[in-house]
Amino acid sequence: MYKFTPNSEYLFFKILNYDSFLNNIFRDYIKQYSDYLSIKNNGNILVKNIKLKPIYITYIRKNYCNIKYISPSGFMFLNKGLDINRKYLLYKKIFISNNKGNIIPGVLIPTKTNHLKIDIGTKDLKEVYSLGINLGDKVVLQEDFSIFNKKYLLSNEITKKLGLFILWELLSLKQKRNFLIIKEKNTKLYFINYLVNLSFLINKKLKIIDLFLKKPLCRELIDFCKRTHINIKTFKKRKKIDYIININIKYFKTPIEMILKSEIEKIINLIIRLM
């Protein structure tokens, strides 16, 4: 039985906070299992051995902007792209990653238009360039991580990287790793042999995991959900059965989101049961 531990909390914090963690450690793991998995330059992970039971996990989603324009007075403006309601972003702290790999702090401030504007304390264009900042540099929100009442996880990027955290916890368990991973939307290739689809959604909108199951596992799935009080919905379309499990996150699509640790435990234990 999987339970959240202090190590899990630390891992959750690391995944939410560091791009370098994803770019280095995770890629190293893929290299160790190159007989089964391969990683493309765009971050997608492809499966070489299709005999594995297909479990698709959305493991990382883009959550940054790039500098689009730098004004003569030293302010920077962002291109569109953040999947967050803009009214929550004013006076939010950010980091700029410059071309030398340095991290420069700043703050988002309001403008008369709909553009996002950054102040880093510079007075002119020359001072901005002296910090190694240029057009196209990446801008990310400063992360925050807290645990409320010993049971809620609170941070910026929960909906963006929850799938990766679940995957990493599954990989860390000492058992057979019978699943595959992709980044983008899954195909219907495996519906020929796997006519049962189990999907995990965040707040009924954002899909983070797809499992394709064989029909004999259906009864076990339903029984486990009843015993663990997991709310599951069933949809039947011709020969295919779709199961939907919704994961509730508070403050969805804001710079700070909150989820119960017990929700994550239920998901991981269900996947372990079905593997």
Side-chain angles (χ1 to χ4, degrees), residues 59-80:
Y59 71 91
I60 183 170
R61 308 173 82 89
K62 178 182 176 182
N63 195 44
Y64 63 85
C65 281
N66 300 97
I67 296 175
K68 184 178 181 179
Y69 172 71
I70 304 174
S71 71
S73 55
F75 292 109
M76 281 149 286
F77 295 83
L78 300 178
N79 62 1
K80 297 180 180 180

Side-chain angles (χ1 to χ4, degrees), residues 123-186:
K123 62 182 180 181
D124 55 34
L125 191 61
K126 183 178 179 181
E127 192 175 358
V128 173
Y129 287 143
S130 71
L131 294 172
I133 297 174
N134 214 321
L135 299 179
D137 284 351
K138 184 167 73 170
V139 177
V140 295
L141 296 174
Q142 285 194 29
E143 299 299 345
D144 191 12
F145 178 72
S146 302
I147 301 173
F148 281 10
N149 197 20
K150 298 181 180 179
K151 58 184 180 180
Y152 280 98
L153 302 173
L154 186 79
S155 188
N156 292 18
E157 294 263 321
I158 290 177
T159 55
K160 304 300 178 188
K161 296 173 182 175
L162 180 58
L164 174 58
F165 172 77
I166 291 171
L167 166 66
W168 201 277
E169 288 290 79
L170 288 168
L171 293 174
S172 67
L173 298 174
K174 294 181 179 178
Q175 62 182 54
K176 193 174 181 181
R177 294 160 178 147
N178 281 346
F179 48 85
L180 22 134
I181 322 146
I182 61 170
K183 177 181 176 183
E184 305 295 345
K185 291 182 179 180
N186 51 329

Side-chain angles (χ1 to χ4, degrees), residues 2-18 21 144-155 158 165 168-169 172 259-262 264-265 268:
Y2 170 82
K3 295 290 289 184
F4 233 90
T5 65
N7 285 339
S8 301
E9 292 169 359
Y10 178 69
L11 174 64
F12 197 76
F13 166 76
K14 292 285 285 184
I15 286 178
L16 291 168
N17 280 271
Y18 297 109
F21 179 79
D144 191 12
F145 178 72
S146 302
I147 301 173
F148 281 10
N149 197 20
K150 298 181 180 179
K151 58 184 180 180
Y152 280 98
L153 302 173
L154 186 79
S155 188
I158 290 177
F165 172 77
W168 201 277
E169 288 290 79
S172 67
I259 187 172
L260 277 167
K261 289 193 285 187
S262 58
I264 301 176
E265 290 173 345
I268 293 177

Side-chain angles (χ1 to χ4, degrees), residues 84-114:
I84 294 177
N85 192 321
R86 287 173 175 247
K87 71 180 180 180
Y88 297 114
L89 293 175
L90 297 184
Y91 301 107
K92 184 71 181 175
K93 291 181 180 179
I94 56 92
F95 284 128
I96 300 172
S97 177
N98 70 6
N99 54 16
K100 297 179 181 178
N102 298 324
I103 300 297
I104 298 165
V107 63
L108 291 170
I109 58 176
T111 65
K112 293 181 180 180
T113 65
N114 196 34

Side-chain angles (χ1 to χ4, degrees), residues 36-50:
Y36 301 98
L37 305 170
S38 63
I39 187 164
K40 298 179 68 176
N41 292 333
N42 62 4
N44 287 355
I45 297 177
L46 302 178
V47 177
K48 295 181 180 180
N49 186 347
I50 61 173

Side-chain angles (χ1 to χ4, degrees), residues 224-238:
F224 183 88
C225 289
K226 286 181 179 179
R227 291 197 306 272
T228 54
H229 307 289
I230 295 175
N231 185 19
I232 185 169
K233 293 185 178 180
T234 306
F235 301 92
K236 292 186 178 180
K237 299 176 183 177
R238 295 181 182 178

